[in-house]
């Protein structure tokens, strides 16, 4: 299979990095950067329909982020609660369907309730599919999926010989998503950091120096535009 893309990436995933440095450069606490970052989320979600991006998945909090100071972790959790409460109506009105991936077990009850409500409230929307990763890690996701598969085998509901990539994909948090076509990481680090490990096997990557709070719809549009001129081969030889 070989193809010139010549179309927008259907699914874009973003590692929103650099909030802390952005705040430090301004002599402000790190949470100031996270708040500025949250405002950019709004702008980027709104830009999706015009750019032909149907699915947007953003990395808000990783399974490793618990290692940050208690102040920063609590501040981020509070920011997520506020973001959901404040943005819910606009997201609903703008046709955005919101879903969350990651392990909810470690999240506080109030946040989980808000997440559940937003998912339910926007369930009939389909203009843009926004997926927010909170307490998400690719390895953790694959481990949890494997545990579910093992339980089904133990219960006699699944023949182990029938297990293939499709079976595993159906047990991942992202079972409802197509694989990402394009993964963007801001702030100059060229790492995947445990984000969508299984799903991004054939994704294009774009690492840019811009810190997340400085990312904007113009930069987003430029990256989406350059994506369409690339050649995706999916492991095959170019013809
Ligand atoms: C990475 O920057 C960013 C995060 C760990 C948090 C991402 C969260 C937001 C953008 C806030 C809003 C999100 C939603 C969904 C409302 P960093 O802190 O690692 O930056 P640094 O590398 O400069 O320290």
């Amino acid at each position: 299979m070989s193809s010139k893309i010549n179309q927008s990436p259907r699914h874009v995933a973003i590692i929103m990095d650099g909030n802390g440095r952005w705040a430090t450069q301004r002599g402000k606490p790190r949470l100031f950067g996270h708040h500025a970052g949250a405002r950019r989320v709004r702008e980027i979600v709104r830009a999706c329909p015009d750019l032909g991006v149907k699915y947007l998945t953003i990395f808000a909090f990783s399974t490793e982020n618990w290692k940050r100071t208690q102040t920063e972790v609590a501040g981020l959790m509070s920011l997520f609660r506020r973001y959901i409460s404040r943005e819910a109506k606009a997201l609903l009105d703008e046709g955005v369907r919101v879903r969350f991936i990651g392990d909810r077990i470690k999240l506080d009850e109030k946040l989980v309730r808000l997440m559940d409500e937003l998912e339910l409230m926007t369930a009939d929307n389909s203009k843009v599919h926004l997926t927010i990763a909170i307490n998400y890690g690719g390895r953790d996701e694959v481990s949890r999926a494997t545990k579910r598969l093992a339980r089904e085998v133990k219960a006699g509901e699944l023949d182990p010989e029938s297990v293939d990539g499709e079976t595993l994909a159906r047990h991942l948090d992202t079972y409802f998503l197509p694989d990402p076509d394009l993964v963007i990481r801001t702030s100059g680090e060229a790492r995947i950091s445990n984000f969508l490990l299984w799903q991004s096997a054939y994704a294009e990557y774009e690492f840019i120096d811009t810190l997340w709070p400085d990312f904007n719809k113009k930069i987003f549009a430029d990256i989406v535009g350059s994506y369409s001129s690339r050649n995706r081969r999916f492991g095959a030889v170019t013809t």
Side-chain angles (χ1 to χ4, degrees):
M1 184 174 19
S2 167
S3 59
K4 263 270 185 253
I5 302 170
N6 280 333
Q7 62 182 32
S8 296
R10 193 154 79 107
H11 182 182
V12 178
I14 308 184
I15 302 173
M16 309 179 289
D17 196 13
N19 295 347
R21 270 164 286 170
W22 187 88
T24 305
Q25 284 170 6
R26 285 158 181 78
K28 303 277 190 188
R30 296 175 57 81
L31 274 166
F32 182 76
H34 295 314
H35 281 268
R39 287 193 287 279
R40 289 302 183 184
V41 170
R42 188 178 304 162
E43 178 179 339
I44 298 312
V45 173
R46 288 200 176 132
C48 285
D50 281 349
L51 297 176
V53 174
K54 199 81 192 156
Y55 296 86
L56 179 71
T57 300
I58 55 174
F59 205 1
F61 194 91
S62 77
T63 46
E64 288 73 38
N65 285 151
W66 298 103
K67 293 181 202 143
R68 296 188 174 203
T69 64
Q70 211 266 331
T71 311
E72 185 170 352
V73 169
L76 276 167
M77 294 300 150
S78 155
L79 173 59
F80 299 147
R81 288 194 299 268
R82 276 170 54 179
Y83 177 85
I84 296 174
S85 307
R86 287 188 185 172
E87 296 291 313
K89 180 152 187 341
L91 290 163
L92 178 66
D93 293 347
E94 286 164 23
V96 182
R97 178 168 190 179
V98 185
R99 278 176 285 201
F100 295 90
I101 55 171
D103 192 354
R104 299 181 191 200
I105 205 91
K106 269 177 96 175
L107 303 177
D108 75 65
E109 255 176 57
K110 185 161 178 230
L111 175 58
V112 174
R113 187 163 46 75
L114 289 165
M115 288 160 62
D116 289 341
E117 282 169 9
L118 186 59
E119 286 186 332
L120 202 64
M121 193 172 143
T122 60
D124 292 332
N125 281 349
S126 58
K127 195 168 174 188
V128 178
H129 295 262
L130 171 65
T131 303
I132 305 177
I134 300 182
N135 192 28
Y136 173 86
R139 288 184 172 182
D140 180 65
E141 177 191 36
V142 172
S143 309
R144 286 185 286 106
T146 308
K147 197 181 289 182
R148 283 198 287 273
L149 278 174
R151 283 198 191 116
E152 287 174 25
V153 168
K154 192 177 173 196
E157 295 159 9
L158 182 67
D159 172 9
E161 296 309 318
S162 74
V163 174
D164 57 13
E166 282 286 302
T167 324
L168 183 64
R170 277 201 308 274
H171 288 73
L172 294 173
D173 296 355
T174 52
Y175 67 90
F176 53 87
L177 285 175
D179 284 345
D181 302 295
L182 173 65
V183 180
I184 300 170
R185 181 175 187 143
T186 57
S187 97
E189 316 282 350
R191 289 193 293 271
I192 314 174
S193 296
N194 209 5
F195 190 42
L196 302 176
L197 293 180
W198 172 275
Q199 300 86 340
S200 299
Y202 293 102
E204 297 285 318
Y205 282 89
E206 190 73 50
F207 298 103
I208 60 161
D209 288 337
T210 311
L211 303 177
W212 175 253
D214 291 328
F215 192 79
N216 58 32
K217 59 181 179 200
K218 160 89 174 63
I219 302 171
F220 189 37
D222 286 348
I223 295 174
V224 167
S226 74
Y227 166 92
S228 63
S229 60
R230 296 193 199 173
N231 201 8
R232 290 181 94 191
R233 292 194 293 276
F234 297 97
V237 175
T238 318
T239 51

